Amino acid sequence: MKIQAINGFKDILPDQMLLWRRIEHTAAEVFQRFGMREIRVPLMEKTELFVRSIGEATDVVEKEMYTFSEKKTTMRPEATASIMRAFIEHGMHVQQPVQRLFTIGPMFRHERPQKGRLRQFHQLDAEIVGATEPQVDAELIAMGQLILDELGLSTSLEINSLGCQECRPPYRRKLISFLEEQREELCEDCRRRTHKNPLRVLDCKKTACKTIAHQAPSLLEDLCEGCSSHFAQVQEGLDALEIPFTLNRFMVRGLDYYTQTTFEFLTADLGAQAAVGAGGRYDGLIEQLGGPALPGIGFAMGIERLALLMEQNAEEPLEQQTDIFLAALGEQAPQPCSRLIHQLRKDGLKAAMDYSGRSLKAQMKQANRCHARFVLIIGDSELEQQQGVLRNMQSQEQQSFPLTGSPQEQSQSLLRLLQL
Ligand code: HAM
């Protein structure tokens, strides 16, 4: 019997990889324009890290983590906690007061798989640590928007503020008493969470709880002066950068570490999986993980979702090009061709050849399959006359190509002819 991949774990096939590379490359390039530096953190961490940062009563920690209980380790469900752990462990704030970091890689959550929702998925993740200014919030959101723009995607942006340690406790009490009144209508998880972590109730996906959440008091109306002014300045900053947004006072995000600004980039084109990217401020997280009292803000985008949207935009599919295909015909040709092709590759060309000795027709088909721009035909008679035939596959024009000189010399003259 065939062994198949685990449900929710997907292969990314060569045809898709070009699009993935484009997404990753565009993001990495934009990140660097904003002074972000790449970091790679492990795929596994101590379970405690995620419990403490994401929060005990969240769906991610309660239901979705891939945990090896005996070893007390967990496959990372997101990157922020790991990056903050690394930040603290390496005392990165000592080197530089504001650290701008990004990472790209797989995350793991045991969710119900569907279109755009996987158990192994990939994120582009950006974090700015050490800056409290609201302009930084606007700048970070602008960076996310620029990645989406450069990928040709149109999404909408929603923002909210979740307040701070000062304005949260009174709001929490208000929310608890509201939820208490609705207790009968809430799902079992939400009844349990009402006292433990009431904000999570506002994030429940069950229809009945969602209806209640939409009637719940919003923190936005009860922000303290500091949070209110911070949020107003974030909005001014976005206006100044001409980034359109709408306020969504119901957005609470699914992770506990958020404070103040939160945001989501949304699409209407992926059914239930509307969030292409999301993030926010987490001003208490680093201290909570045993580090210095430094603020932070970041976001992550799901690469699968970006790729699905780009495929739906029905752009020309990306194809891997080959600069030159060597069609070696007859007994003698493969040997000199294999020397020449190695030299071409050393000189930076994407070159292919077929060692099967198949007919010219079969080899031309192969050249087309690998999207060759040129084919150099070398058979026994061409070798004898020291003249190959170079065909431009687009114009179908042919010219003879001298097979004299060393492979290095032949490669150089091919480079000139191909204008590379
Ligand atoms: P998140 O909202 O859990 O935030 O995930 C961010 C993005 O990852 C989502 O908007 C979505 O595009 C993608 N994503 C999440 N789960 C899945 C899944 N199961 N399948 C496919 N894509 C998925 C975070 O992870 C935070 N760490 C973001 C952040 C960084 N906040 C501050 N810094």
Side-chain angles (χ1 to χ4, degrees), residues 204-305:
C204 182
K205 284 154 196 110
K206 306 242 165 63
T207 320
C209 303
K210 266 190 186 168
T211 315
I212 295 170
H214 273 71
Q215 294 152 8
S218 157
L219 181 51
L220 213 48
E221 281 91 53
D222 284 332
L223 291 179
C224 65
E225 232 179 272
C227 286
S228 178
S229 140
H230 183 99
F231 195 48
Q233 289 180 69
V234 173
Q235 295 175 62
E236 279 167 28
L238 289 173
D239 284 338
L241 301 177
E242 294 179 28
I243 296 180
F245 62 87
T246 50
L247 290 188
N248 176 358
R249 61 191 198 91
F250 301 113
M251 185 207 301
V252 286
R253 309 277 302 118
L255 314 161
D256 272 357
Y257 49 64
Y258 291 112
T259 55
Q260 296 197 326
T261 318
T262 53
F263 57 93
E264 289 185 347
F265 293 106
L266 301 165
T267 175
D269 301 335
L270 286 182
Q273 311 315 313
V276 177
R281 213 164 241 295
Y282 44 87
D283 286 352
L285 177 60
I286 298 172
E287 202 176 7
Q288 203 178 310
L289 293 175
L294 286 172
I297 182 166
F299 69 76
M301 290 187 184
I303 303 185
E304 282 78 3
R305 295 187 189 174

Side-chain angles (χ1 to χ4, degrees), residues 35-304:
M36 313 284 290
R37 298 187 305 146
E38 188 165 7
I39 181 169
R40 297 264 167 118
V41 285
L43 300 193
M44 293 247 275
E45 297 275 357
K46 293 190 180 142
T47 305
E48 175 66 13
L49 174 69
F50 301 118
V51 176
R52 255 208 264 168
S53 52
I54 296 171
E56 220 171 330
T58 56
D59 276 354
V60 174
V61 169
E62 276 186 354
K63 303 177 189 167
E64 296 169 1
M65 295 208 302
Y66 283 93
T67 294
F68 298 82
S69 311
E70 281 156 41
K71 300 200 168 68
K72 298 193 172 84
T73 50
T74 291
M75 306 283 288
R76 63 182 187 192
E78 58 115 50
T80 312
S82 308
I83 296 178
M84 294 314 123
R85 196 258 319 128
F87 175 89
I88 298 165
E89 192 167 328
H90 302 285
M92 290 173 82
H93 60 290
V94 181
Q95 306 159 17
Q96 218 165 314
V98 177
Q99 283 283 351
R100 295 171 163 247
L101 303 165
F102 77 92
T103 200
I104 299 176
M107 312 293 155
F108 306 85
R109 293 185 198 175
H110 191 266
E111 292 188 81
R112 203 155 41 81
Q114 50 178 261
K115 185 179 170 191
R117 190 162 78 199
L118 290 122
R119 290 178 171 172
Q120 175 180 328
F121 60 98
H122 298 72
Q123 283 186 343
L124 309 166
D125 183 283
E127 313 289 348
I128 301 181
V129 185
T132 44
E133 300 84 358
Q135 290 82 357
V136 173
D137 303 29
E139 186 195 19
L140 178 99
I141 295 173
M143 180 168 69
Q145 185 64 60
L146 190 58
I147 293 174
L148 295 166
D149 292 346
E150 297 214 349
L151 293 175
L153 297 176
S154 70
T155 49
S156 57
L157 169 67
E158 292 186 356
I159 64 170
N160 192 18
S161 174
L162 293 181
C164 65
Q165 279 166 343
E166 199 182 313
C167 41
R168 271 268 189 104
Y171 169 73
R172 193 187 139 98
R173 286 193 289 276
K174 198 164 157 184
L175 182 59
I176 291 177
S177 63
F178 167 82
L179 293 173
E180 275 299 331
E181 283 164 27
Q182 316 290 328
R183 193 170 173 79
E184 291 307 305
E185 317 296 324
L186 292 173
C187 73
E188 212 169 296
D189 272 350
C190 288
R191 278 186 212 163
R192 190 168 42 80
R193 287 172 180 175
T194 296
H195 286 271
K196 206 169 174 191
N197 196 343
L199 265 190
R200 291 280 66 84
V201 177
L202 305 183
D203 192 39
C204 182
K205 284 154 196 110
K206 306 242 165 63
T207 320
C209 303
K210 266 190 186 168
T211 315
I212 295 170
H214 273 71
Q215 294 152 8
S218 157
L219 181 51
L220 213 48
E221 281 91 53
D222 284 332
L223 291 179
C224 65
E225 232 179 272
C227 286
S228 178
S229 140
H230 183 99
F231 195 48
Q233 289 180 69
V234 173
Q235 295 175 62
E236 279 167 28
L238 289 173
D239 284 338
L241 301 177
E242 294 179 28
I243 296 180
F245 62 87
T246 50
L247 290 188
N248 176 358
R249 61 191 198 91
F250 301 113
M251 185 207 301
V252 286
R253 309 277 302 118
L255 314 161
D256 272 357
Y257 49 64
Y258 291 112
T259 55
Q260 296 197 326
T261 318
T262 53
F263 57 93
E264 289 185 347
F265 293 106
L266 301 165
T267 175
D269 301 335
L270 286 182
Q273 311 315 313
V276 177
R281 213 164 241 295
Y282 44 87
D283 286 352
L285 177 60
I286 298 172
E287 202 176 7
Q288 203 178 310
L289 293 175
L294 286 172
I297 182 166
F299 69 76
M301 290 187 184
I303 303 185
E304 282 78 3

